Amino acid sequence: MEKFVISHSAVAVPSRVVSNDELATMMDTSDEWIYTRTGIHNRHIVTNEDTSDLAIQVAKQLLVDSGLSATDLDFIIVATMSPDSLSPNTASIVQGAIGAERAFAYDLSAACSGLVFALSTASALLTARYQRGLVIGAEVLSKLVDWQDRSTAVLFGDGAAGFLLERTEAPVGLLAEDLVSIGAKAEFLTAGQLANRNAFAGELKLADPYFKMNGREVYNFAVREVPASLQRALDQTDLQADDIDVFILHQANSRIIQSIAKRFKQPLEKFPMNMVEYGNTSAASVGILLHELRANNLVHSGQKIALVGFGGGLTVGTMLIQL
Ligand code: ACO
């Protein structure tokens, strides 16, 4: 068992809320279409913040709540598919802003699985040699959304969430994990392509910054590969699905989550959802939900929880952890 404790969590979402009804004034869609297919009513959209601004808010809140100094941190990992820039990475901007002079900082890009991949990395870092670090999922997906494309514009939202992770001697932390990449199906979900305009370029590759998603293929991938990954993680332990207290799944679509609950014959109450308010916030979604559950005392120490991200790459990340 890799031992770590999630000692604090925090969230930062932009204050501007955009409802389905408001989107319906901008494009040919409706609250009914969006809600019945996805479970989403609202999403929070930035007005002037960038990804690092949200991540910095989360980091500062984690320091205030823990009473730690920024110089107590050994590392900062930011999971994001919508960084401010390719360099510096978002985590370095956070590190500089909070004055975490001893911490190394880097971004991890695995789309909606990003936070789970980052938690897996942090767990290994803590086990290997470090004492504590921040893991933050932060996204401003609204800059990757083509606001003329109703098939993707209605799905995504902006936000950030993060955790202070600390090494511990207590029997808590990672029970099992299963991380999956299916690069052969990468084309089903792309965003943020860069152009190469070098002087030697043959055929010019045009930039395509916007989300392109084959929704049906991604849906089928999720309902097939997420249960398979969860089952492989369970098979590494003596646990059955019944023994998991709460399943915290990436908040892309309520129908995907309902399908997975049914597949494991689990009550839907064990699969909390909040996409109704935030939409799909990619690397932030699992973190926002876990923070809300902690803040409302709906999860507590001693419980076993499953964290599952899935999306672009294509990727799936499953961690079974003991709180
Ligand atoms: N409003 C109204 N109609 C729409 C909208 C909209 N916003 N978007 C599409 N439609 C129309 C389509 O044009 C189509 O019309 P047609 O039949 O006349 O051609 C019809 O609605 C059905 O479209 P589909 O794409 O087949 O709708 P579907 O039932 O598959 O639902 C959805 C689409 C919600 C995107 C679904 O496929 C889905 O959830 N996929 C998974 C997405 C996901 O989970 N992504 C996670 C990863 S994201 C990440 O990693 C960043």
Side-chain angles (χ1 to χ4, degrees), residues 107-314:
D107 287 5
L108 189 151
S109 171
C112 304
S113 305
L115 191 68
V116 176
F117 277 41
L119 283 170
S120 166
T121 306
S123 170
L125 289 173
L126 293 171
T127 302
R129 68 178 67 88
Y130 299 102
Q131 192 59 37
R132 63 177 68 82
L134 303 185
V135 173
I136 299 171
E139 302 283 15
V140 174
L141 298 176
S142 57
K143 62 189 171 188
L144 300 178
V145 164
D146 177 356
W147 292 95
Q148 311 298 318
D149 175 11
R150 66 177 183 172
S151 70
T152 52
V154 302
L155 303 175
F156 299 105
D158 301 333
F163 307 113
L164 172 65
L165 261 65
E166 301 189 78
R167 178 196 276 222
T168 178
E169 289 311 313
V172 296
L174 184 68
L175 300 170
E177 73 173 22
D178 183 71
L179 308 182
V180 182
S181 293
I182 310 176
K185 295 188 175 176
E187 73 199 69
F188 293 142
L189 180 47
T190 59
Q193 288 175 355
L194 302 174
N196 188 344
R197 296 185 183 284
N198 80 54
F200 315 99
E203 201 179 332
L204 270 191
K205 189 180 145 206
L206 296 175
D208 186 353
Y210 298 132
F211 273 112
K212 296 279 177 301
M213 181 168 75
N214 182 328
R216 199 53 69 79
E217 289 287 354
V218 174
Y219 187 95
N220 292 340
F221 144 79
V223 297
R224 191 175 53 243
E225 298 298 339
V226 171
S229 175
L230 252 171
Q231 190 59 56
R232 283 192 297 271
L234 287 167
D235 289 346
Q236 294 167 33
T237 69
D238 297 332
L239 302 171
Q240 314 293 322
D242 288 350
D243 300 316
I244 303 298
D245 296 294
V246 188
F247 294 82
I248 300 176
L249 270 52
H250 171 48
Q251 301 289 296
N253 181 315
S254 54
R255 289 184 305 158
I256 292 175
I257 295 177
Q258 285 158 7
S259 154
I260 293 163
K262 202 167 157 193
R263 178 80 168 268
F264 284 96
K265 299 189 173 63
Q266 296 296 301
L268 208 48
E269 297 72 57
K270 287 173 74 172
F271 289 72
M273 296 187 226
N274 67 1
M275 78 282 284
V276 66
E277 176 59 24
Y278 302 108
N280 177 348
T281 57
S282 191
S285 87
V286 162
I288 295 174
L289 183 54
L290 179 52
H291 172 77
E292 288 191 341
L293 295 171
R294 285 168 59 101
N296 294 309
N297 292 319
L298 294 171
V299 292
H300 51 80
S301 55
Q303 284 188 318
K304 295 178 180 63
I305 64 173
L307 301 175
V308 189
F310 54 88
L314 302 176

